[in-house]
Amino acid sequence: DVKVTQSSRYLVKRTGEKVFLECVQDMDHENMFWYRQDPGLGLRLIYFSYDVKMKEKGDIPEGYSVSREKKERFSLILESASTNQTSMYLCASSPGQGSTYEQYFGPGTRLTVT
Amino acid sequence: SQQGEEDPQALSIQEGENATMNCSYKTSINNLQWYRQNSGRGLVHLILIRSNEREKHSGRLRVTLDTSKKSSSLLITASRAADTASYFCATGRGGSYIPTFGRGTSLIVHP
């Protein structure tokens, strides 16, 4: 079974702090994604990566950055956390292009910024 | 930007009844997927249907796709309390391997 793990289920941070959310997948997938999920807005893509050290902006990249130094790990960084970044963050992975596009999700990190 | 839109937003039924959710989209797609999300958890892939397929089954799930109407439906037969979750459709376009998610349908199945 594919497993996608996220470093924390719940996280509380203060405004202005730098926040790291870690995601690890164990199926050698090329593609990794970060979404945020807010009530009434569904899933919105923040960033994705199709290879080590490669990254692409999604629909809402402002205030975020990412890092992919190893194939299995994709980190989301909030450079200076703000209250409007309070949300559920979901990491996902999928096999390389040309395959079935099915995504495998982690359990999510509920981040609260106070 | 969101491609698929689920309908209804919320659905409440009794155990044993069938649940039907619909997804409409605007531009042509090459596949459509359905996912389930239990409260406060990640999404789980249920089924993928390609644009050249009209119907697909998986256990108690039946998915249909009508590309002329740009719509899909997910039918859960003989629902159980454990089916209580949010259900999302996600559309894949062109050569993109990134699905675009709708806002979801919240299903409650009462025991």
Side-chain angles (χ1 to χ4, degrees):
Chain A
D1 273 357
V2 176
K3 195 155 187 187
V4 180
T5 57
Q6 295 184 228
S7 49
S8 306
R9 288 297 317 278
Y10 300 95
L11 208 52
V12 179
K13 294 291 181 180
R14 294 191 182 275
T15 302
E17 277 193 84
K18 191 167 186 176
V19 181
F20 293 86
L21 302 182
E22 303 283 336
C23 175
V24 178
Q25 50 94 4
D26 66 359
M27 278 301 289
D28 203 37
H29 284 171
E30 281 77 10
N31 309 312
M32 297 188 75
F33 309 82
W34 275 107
Y35 295 91
R36 65 176 282 177
Q37 184 179 25
D38 301 286
L41 296 178
L43 273 75
R44 292 182 291 168
L45 182 64
I46 303 172
Y47 267 98
F48 65 98
S49 168
Y50 54 89
D51 201 352
V52 176
K53 297 193 187 295
M54 306 304 289
K55 59 187 178 187
E56 294 286 344
K57 292 180 181 179
D59 298 320
I60 51 163
E62 296 77 20
Y64 303 94
S65 62
V66 290
S67 171
R68 195 167 180 202
E69 295 296 318
K70 292 185 177 181
K71 191 174 186 180
E72 67 271 20
R73 188 179 298 268
F74 193 35
S75 302
L76 179 69
I77 303 150
L78 285 67
E79 297 290 342
S80 176
S82 63
T83 55
N84 62 14
Q85 292 178 310
T86 291
S87 186
M88 169 73 109
Y89 289 87
L90 293 165
C91 175
S93 71
S94 72
Q97 297 184 46
S99 65
T100 59
Y101 315 106
E102 174 183 343
Q103 291 195 323
Y104 297 83
F105 282 82
T109 295
R110 189 167 293 281
L111 172 68
T112 302
V113 182
T114 61
Chain B
S1 58
Q2 253 126 0
Q3 164 78 314
E5 290 294 335
E6 294 89 346
D7 172 63
Q9 288 188 345
L11 185 57
S12 180
I13 60 174
Q14 295 293 321
E15 211 165 28
E17 294 179 343
N18 295 341
T20 300
M21 287 156 267
N22 302 296
C23 173
S24 59
Y25 56 91
K26 293 188 171 78
T27 59
S28 52
I29 60 171
N30 56 24
N31 66 66
L32 186 143
Q33 303 175 59
W34 285 93
Y35 288 79
R36 183 188 73 231
Q37 184 181 34
N38 291 92
S39 180
R41 309 291 298 188
L43 278 71
V44 174
H45 182 263
L46 295 176
I47 201 164
L48 181 149
I49 187 166
R50 301 187 191 283
S51 58
N52 60 355
E53 297 174 309
R54 291 295 167 258
E55 189 169 312
K56 212 162 177 183
H57 296 256
S58 177
R60 293 183 296 114
L61 306 180
R62 173 178 163 245
V63 168
T64 62
L65 179 64
D66 187 336
T67 52
S68 66
K69 294 182 179 176
K70 294 188 169 57
S71 68
S72 172
S73 68
L74 170 67
L75 169 67
I76 304 173
T77 59
S79 62
R80 305 166 182 167
D83 295 326
T84 293
S86 292
Y87 292 82
F88 294 85
C89 69
T91 51
R93 288 169 287 169
S96 172
Y97 54 90
I98 304 168
T100 305
F101 289 85
R103 291 184 171 87
T105 290
S106 174
L107 172 66
I108 297 175
V109 181
H110 299 280

